[in-house]
């Protein structure tokens, strides 16, 4: 395992704490703990540390994105993986936060949002993301981390 060369922020939005029991036919049976394990394994293989955050509150998600900049008290992040969940389809605030911090960002959705209801086809987040992965289940998080590692040179 290479020495840690950078940090990735993995942000999960509302209701993703319910993974495993929430609409398993749509989101699968993997839990948020499984997402975390997948992310830690993929990141450490490329020498990245990860910080995982899940919140049901839009402002907390905005704060988490802003945290990518870092401060004297807290390290920032070199890249972001975000599943904004329902806020994908509503949040100008998250779009603006991602644009402001200007970190390489991959938007992930467990389900194929384009094959579902019409309202899920529009994302306020995609214009602020470098890539979008939808419909790959929790594998999408691994793919997102591999892409960021490639782009960040990990
Ligand atoms: C989701 C898709 C969103 O439309 C939905 O609101 C979610 C999860 C996904 O991972 O497939 O909560 O982001």
């Amino acid at each position: 395992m290479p020495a840690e060369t950078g940090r990735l922020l993995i942000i999960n939005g509302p209701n993703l704490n319910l993974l495993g029991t929430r609409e398993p036919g749509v989101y699968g049976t993997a839990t948020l703990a499984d997402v975390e394990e997948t992310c830690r394994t993929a990141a450490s293989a490329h020498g990245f540390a990860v910080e995982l955050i899940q919140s049901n509150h839009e402002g907390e998600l905005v704060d988490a994105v802003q945290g990518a900049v870092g401060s004297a008290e807290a390290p920032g992040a070199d890249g972001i993986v975000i599943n904004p969940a329902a806020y994908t389809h509503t949040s100008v605030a998250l779009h603006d936060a991602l644009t402001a911090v200007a970190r390489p960002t991959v938007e992930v959705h467990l389900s194929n949002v384009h094959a579902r209801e019409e309202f899920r086809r529009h994302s306020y987040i995609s214009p602020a993301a470098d890539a979008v992965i939808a419909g790959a289940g929790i594998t999408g998080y691994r793919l997102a981390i591999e892409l960021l590692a490639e782009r960040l040179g990990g």
Side-chain angles (χ1 to χ4, degrees):
M1 186 194 305
E4 283 176 357
T5 54
R7 284 172 55 82
L8 302 178
L9 201 50
I10 318 289
I11 301 174
N12 284 295
N15 300 308
L16 294 174
N17 55 313
L18 301 179
L19 282 180
T21 56
R22 175 192 182 199
E23 297 184 78
V26 175
Y27 297 114
T29 52
T31 64
L32 191 60
D34 295 328
V35 170
E36 175 164 353
E37 192 186 322
T38 294
C39 290
R40 289 199 186 283
T41 302
S44 79
H46 292 280
F48 285 89
V50 285
E51 185 184 350
L52 286 101
I53 292 158
Q54 187 278 326
S55 176
N56 295 324
H57 305 278
E58 185 175 16
E60 285 183 8
L61 295 168
V62 169
D63 288 344
V65 171
Q66 289 186 12
V69 170
S71 66
E73 295 82 41
D78 303 292
I80 298 172
V81 176
I82 185 165
N83 182 346
Y87 288 131
T88 306
H89 318 296
T90 63
S91 183
V92 176
L94 272 176
H95 167 279
D96 287 354
L98 288 165
T99 303
V101 303
R103 294 295 188 276
T105 296
V106 183
E107 175 185 347
V108 170
H109 300 285
L110 294 151
S111 65
N112 178 0
V113 284
H114 300 287
R116 300 179 62 195
E117 301 96 323
E118 181 69 35
F119 68 83
R120 294 186 204 277
R121 292 192 191 156
H122 178 261
S123 168
Y124 280 94
I125 307 308
S126 298
D130 295 278
V132 182
I133 299 169
I138 70 169
T139 301
Y141 290 84
R142 177 173 62 74
L143 297 174
I145 288 168
E146 287 179 3
L147 180 64
L148 286 176
E150 187 181 295
R151 299 218 171 150
L152 293 166

